[in-house]
Amino acid sequence: MADTVSYRPKAGEIPTQPGVYRFRDANRRVLYVGKAKNLRARLSNYFAPLRNLHDRTRKMVTTAASVEWTVVATEFEALQLEYTWIKEFNPPFNVQFRDDKTYPYLAVTLGEEVPRVTVTRNRNIKDARYFGPYTKVWAIRDTVDLMLKAFPMRSCSDGVYRRAELTGRPCLLGDIGKCAAPCVGRVTKDEHRAIAEDFASFMAGNDTRYIRGLTEQMKAAASTQDYESAARHRDAIQALEAAMSKTAVVLPEGVDADFFGIAHDELAAAVQQFIVRGGRIRGVRSWVVDKELDVELGELVEIVLQNAYEGVSAPPREILVPELPEDAAELELWLTARRQENGDPAASRGALTGRVGLRVAQRGDKAALAQTVEMNAKNALILYKTRRSSDFVARSKALGDIRDALGMDDAPLRMECYDVSHLSGTNIVASMVVFEDGLPRKDQYRRFSIPESTDDTESIYQVITRRLAYLRPDAAEAVDAADAAESPDSGFDGALEDDGLDANALGDTVSGSDAAEPSTLDDELAAAAEKRRARFSYPPNLLIVDGGQPQVAAAARALEESGVQGIQLAGIAKRLEEIWLPDSDYPVILPRNSDALFLIQRIRDEAHRFAITYQRSRRKRDISSVLGEIPGLGPSRVKELLKHFGSVAQLRKATQEEIAGVKGIGPSLAGAIHDRLGSR
């Protein structure tokens, strides 16, 4: 028996926020819905060794073919969304909802010439609009009975309707006012269809105006001591609320809106849509698309909305997006037309409530939900990129395409990428990241400190020169000379602080019977130098620098001076994602949706991230060490200063009096801090 299932996600792919997860089989049927305070911790329990799982759990995870999740803001939202999806999907492994026949649906048969409303368990009625499932049969039947008073549409069977047409006499419901009686011509068929559409609109929006009307009637009856009528109204309110209680309430009642979250980069975009009707989440949609062009967020919003509502889906009255497009007014008109075409009764009559409005949530509950939707989109994009780069077939094709595009003899099985980071010319650092077979090798990442440099091209030249020194035929002498010429703080730094590794965990140590114990300081230094050379001993097939022609020219100069052969050099310019080669007047343009460009972009982004992380850590360490040299200023006061001013830049701008206003900082100490920072 295998240790676990094949579709197990990597631990780093699963977010640690609260959320709801779904297991699906090979036919995309939902098998199980669950909630979690921490999705990563909860899902890891399902992917323990199969022999350790409970029999039922083992059957579920082996029957499933995939798992997916939706992140929410709070545990309470996770509970509500889990409840909603269990009602919607009836997963077979959720015990309390195992029998699908137990739960009825409310259907409005808009596909018929004379639509009718019915409570049914049949989900295959053609062109019917379904609502539910509901947990209490009596509640939905009572709700229908109540709503027929406000929306007197047909609820009889086809046989009863035809008999009324032949006899010219309506059924009992027509006589008591719960049907408009289109069978005998009291209303036309078009008028009756309008009533049916109003009924469906009420159910889709969970409109509570009817409940408020019943409440007022109940109070009025009670004030006149008509307790029998008040009791009937009370029972009607309870029935209607029971029918509406199936969905998760996240916003005030009466809110009909779609929330869109978009996460994107130059090559791909992930979209999340939360469908809210009457303040309740009624559905979630998500999709990822490859981008042929690098469009701005506003333009991307327009494309997403057009794609989302190009079918039969009717837009709600309010759509929340991360950014308004330039032609927002025209887009609102288009969405309003779609709302009319897709049968919203209020919109088709030109009512004010039918107009669609685009908004950006600024504050309050809507902003909180919009943030949740955006967080789901970001997680979806990360998962998409991770899985795409981890796919063996895609990686192999990407490496082959890079070989062909750059004119290499072989595929670049080992690639190194370099990036430079600084703060206004200070604290200059550089990073080196390594990808082998299209996957990152974080144990071989390196970072460099650069004491002096005139610009980015000079920094690239220095870093590439120092790296290639380890590949020269006279590598030992070259590295020793470089070490002797450099200050202790200017060389290679092997620690990987944000990856949880240190220089002793890089796999280059010697152990066992072949290990020779250094007996002198010289032997120890020689062993350390040999270890450093071993860490750089593997030459790359492709060396990439972050930048265009100037950066590539600087790296080419370093490569030529080193005498190292057999390394292809390239640079990637971020603005247009162009690939530049040495001594080339024109860039190599890879297709926007190609796996080759996707891989090169990912290694460039990883180099940028690693350099930024190191540069920020050095800045923080520098200011802490400077302030720590001031007598009487300990770590707690340093922390208080940075917390008060928000940044080192603001602290440097502060006057002596402003510094003295910080808790625990007196006038004399404030003067020392001001003088110290002012001298730097």
Side-chain angles (χ1 to χ4, degrees):
M1 180 181 292
D3 285 344
T4 186
V5 291
S6 60
Y7 62 88
R8 173 183 181 176
K10 295 180 180 178
E13 295 179 350
I14 308 175
T16 57
Q17 297 99 329
V20 183
Y21 54 91
R22 291 169 287 182
F23 283 87
R24 294 182 181 267
D25 64 12
N27 296 320
R28 301 294 296 163
R29 180 191 181 192
V30 176
L31 299 178
Y32 182 77
V33 175
K35 65 179 183 301
K37 178 180 179 180
N38 182 319
L39 283 169
R40 182 180 299 177
R42 183 69 183 92
L43 284 174
S44 64
N45 296 332
Y46 292 98
F47 301 113
L50 294 176
R51 61 181 178 275
N52 296 337
L53 296 178
H54 187 275
D55 291 343
R56 181 174 172 274
T57 304
R58 181 165 59 249
K59 181 180 179 182
M60 189 272 291
V61 298
T62 54
T63 304
S66 63
V67 63
E68 57 191 35
W69 50 83
T70 297
V71 177
V72 297
T74 65
E75 297 173 56
F76 182 65
E77 287 186 18
L79 174 66
Q80 293 175 311
L81 192 56
E82 179 199 36
Y83 182 64
T84 299
W85 280 347
I86 288 175
K87 300 292 190 305
E88 179 180 355
F89 298 116
N90 285 321
F93 285 93
N94 285 90
V95 179
Q96 61 270 40
F97 296 97
R98 292 183 67 89
D99 186 3
D100 184 60
K101 294 182 180 179
T102 304
Y103 307 103
Y105 291 83
L106 178 65
V108 180
T109 61
L110 296 176
E112 297 182 5
E113 183 181 9
V114 182
R116 67 189 180 103
V117 58
T118 181
V119 179
T120 180
R121 294 182 176 90
N122 180 11
R123 291 297 309 273
N124 299 318
I125 302 175
K126 185 178 180 180
D127 296 328
R129 191 165 183 184
Y130 286 93
F131 305 95
Y134 298 99
T135 56
K136 300 179 179 65
V137 177
W138 64 266
I140 186 57
R141 291 192 185 279
D142 285 353
T143 299
V144 172
D145 187 60
L146 289 169
M147 291 180 61
L148 289 179
K149 297 177 182 179
F151 308 106
M153 66 172 294
R154 172 192 166 206
S155 60
C156 60
S157 65
D158 291 339
V160 173
Y161 184 83
R162 284 194 297 268
R163 185 163 58 249
E165 279 186 315
L166 292 174
T167 62
R169 293 181 57 185
C171 64
L172 178 61
L173 293 176
D175 288 335
I176 64 176
K178 291 188 176 181
C179 179
C183 53
V184 295
R186 291 182 183 174
V187 296
T188 66
K189 292 181 178 179
D190 289 340
E191 289 172 338
H192 180 268
R193 176 169 291 276
I195 295 173
E197 289 174 345
D198 283 346
F199 186 107
S201 179
F202 174 90
M203 292 300 299
N206 287 319
D207 199 332
T208 58
R209 289 174 295 177
Y210 189 58
I211 293 180
R212 288 196 293 269
L214 286 174
T215 303
E216 293 173 359
Q217 295 176 38
M218 180 186 67
K219 292 179 179 179
S223 65
T224 60
Q225 298 184 356
D226 185 2
Y227 298 118
E228 184 176 351
S229 297
R232 286 199 304 269
H233 295 318
R234 178 203 61 199
D235 295 340
I237 292 171
Q238 292 175 348
L240 190 57
E241 288 178 341
M244 296 173 61
S245 64
K246 63 168 290 291
T247 50
V249 180
V250 294
L251 291 173
E253 63 183 32
V255 174
D256 291 349
D258 282 354
F259 288 75
F260 285 88
I262 302 175
H264 70 112
D265 56 20
E266 292 84 357
L267 302 180
V271 183
Q272 283 276 332
Q273 179 187 4
F274 276 27
I275 302 169
V276 178
R277 299 294 181 268
R280 303 163 185 269
I281 296 179
R282 299 303 299 264
V284 175
R285 296 176 60 195
S286 63
W287 61 96
V288 180
V289 295
D290 292 323
K291 295 163 56 180
E292 288 291 339
L293 299 175
D294 186 14
V295 298
E296 298 296 329
L297 179 58
E299 185 178 353
L300 187 58
V301 166
E302 180 178 351
I303 296 171
V304 166
L305 294 181
Q306 291 173 341
N307 178 72
Y309 299 113
E310 67 179 356
V312 297
S313 299
R317 287 169 292 190
E318 186 177 18
I319 298 176
L320 283 301
V321 294
E323 182 178 308
L324 290 177
E326 292 183 0
D327 55 348
E330 290 76 10
L331 186 57
E332 285 179 342
L333 293 176
W334 183 85
L335 291 167
T336 301
R338 298 300 303 167
R339 181 173 170 85
Q340 295 170 353
E341 292 171 7
N342 289 328
D344 183 271
S348 64
R349 291 194 297 270
L352 182 62
T353 56
R355 183 178 178 84
V356 177
L358 292 180
R359 307 282 187 272
V360 176
Q362 300 292 340
R363 61 184 66 85
D365 293 338
K366 290 184 179 180
L369 184 57
Q371 187 176 8
T372 298
V373 180
E374 183 180 0
M375 181 169 52
N376 277 278
K378 290 179 179 178
N379 285 328
L381 182 62
I382 293 172
L383 180 60
Y384 168 74
K385 295 178 68 174
T386 302
R387 287 184 172 174
R388 181 176 177 182
S389 61
S390 299
D391 182 76
F392 176 77
V393 176
R395 294 202 320 269
S396 299
K397 185 176 186 305
L399 295 174
D401 290 345
I402 292 173
R403 174 200 60 205
D404 297 339
L406 303 186
M408 302 175 63
D409 295 331
D410 300 305
L413 299 183
R414 179 183 172 95
M415 296 184 291
E416 295 178 1
C417 186
Y418 296 81
D419 186 29
V420 174
S421 178
H422 60 84
L423 178 65
S424 301
T426 64
N427 272 326
I428 308 173
V429 299
S431 65
M432 161 187 157
V433 300
V434 180
F435 275 44
E436 289 188 352
D437 294 330
L439 294 175
R441 283 292 305 272
K442 292 191 175 184
D443 62 321
Q444 297 189 24
Y445 285 13
R446 298 291 179 263
R447 56 195 189 186
F448 303 83
S449 298
I450 303 173
E452 294 183 3
S453 178
T454 56
D455 54 25
D456 282 354
T457 58
E458 174 63 21
S459 300
I460 286 290
Y461 170 77
Q462 291 188 37
V463 171
I464 301 300
T465 297
R466 284 154 55 180
R467 191 273 176 267
L468 294 176
Y470 290 87
L471 301 177
R472 292 171 53 178
D474 56 342
E477 294 79 2
V479 171
D480 291 341
D483 289 344
E486 292 175 350
S487 64
D489 188 50
S490 65
F492 143 80
D493 184 350
L496 307 180
E497 60 179 5
D498 57 332
D499 292 310
L501 302 175
D502 56 32
N504 295 324
L506 298 179
D508 297 317
T509 57
V510 180
S511 60
S513 58
D514 294 333
E517 294 189 14
S519 57
T520 65
L521 179 61
D522 290 341
D523 292 338
E524 292 179 359
L525 293 175
E530 182 62 31
K531 184 182 295 185
R532 289 183 60 187
R533 285 192 291 271
R535 291 170 183 164
F536 279 109
S537 60
Y538 300 103
N541 304 107
L542 175 61
L543 194 154
I544 303 171
V545 295
D546 183 14
Q549 284 179 302
Q551 287 79 9
V552 173
R557 180 161 55 95
L559 185 62
E560 182 180 359
E561 292 177 359
S562 70
V564 178
Q565 302 293 325
I567 297 178
Q568 176 67 52
L569 176 63
I572 177 170
K574 184 173 180 61
R575 188 176 69 88
L576 297 176
E577 303 296 321
E578 304 163 330
I579 310 299
W580 288 93
L581 300 177
D583 302 323
S584 176
D585 294 331
Y586 301 97
V588 176
I589 305 297
L590 295 172
R592 299 291 298 180
N593 62 347
S594 68
D595 291 313
L597 182 57
F598 187 90
L599 180 57
I600 291 179
Q601 183 204 38
R602 188 181 178 212
I603 190 173
R604 187 272 315 279
D605 292 345
E606 183 71 352
H608 182 69
R609 178 198 67 82
F610 198 54
I612 285 289
T613 302
Y614 183 39
Q615 203 267 340
R616 287 174 178 169
S617 68
R618 281 180 56 86
R619 276 205 324 260
K620 183 177 179 181
R621 188 166 63 244
D622 287 350
I623 189 62
S624 298
S625 61
V626 169
L627 294 175
E629 295 173 358
I630 301 175
L633 194 62
S636 61
R637 288 179 173 173
V638 171
K639 183 178 180 181
E640 191 68 31
L641 281 168
L642 296 178
K643 179 181 178 181
H644 179 83
F645 289 101
S647 67
V648 175
Q650 294 300 320
L651 178 57
R652 292 184 189 277
K653 296 177 182 178
T655 64
Q656 182 175 338
E657 291 75 15
E658 291 173 336
I659 297 175
V662 178
K663 180 182 177 181
I665 307 295
S668 59
L669 185 55
I673 296 171
H674 186 266
D675 293 341
R676 179 71 175 179
L677 293 180
S679 63
R680 291 178 63 83

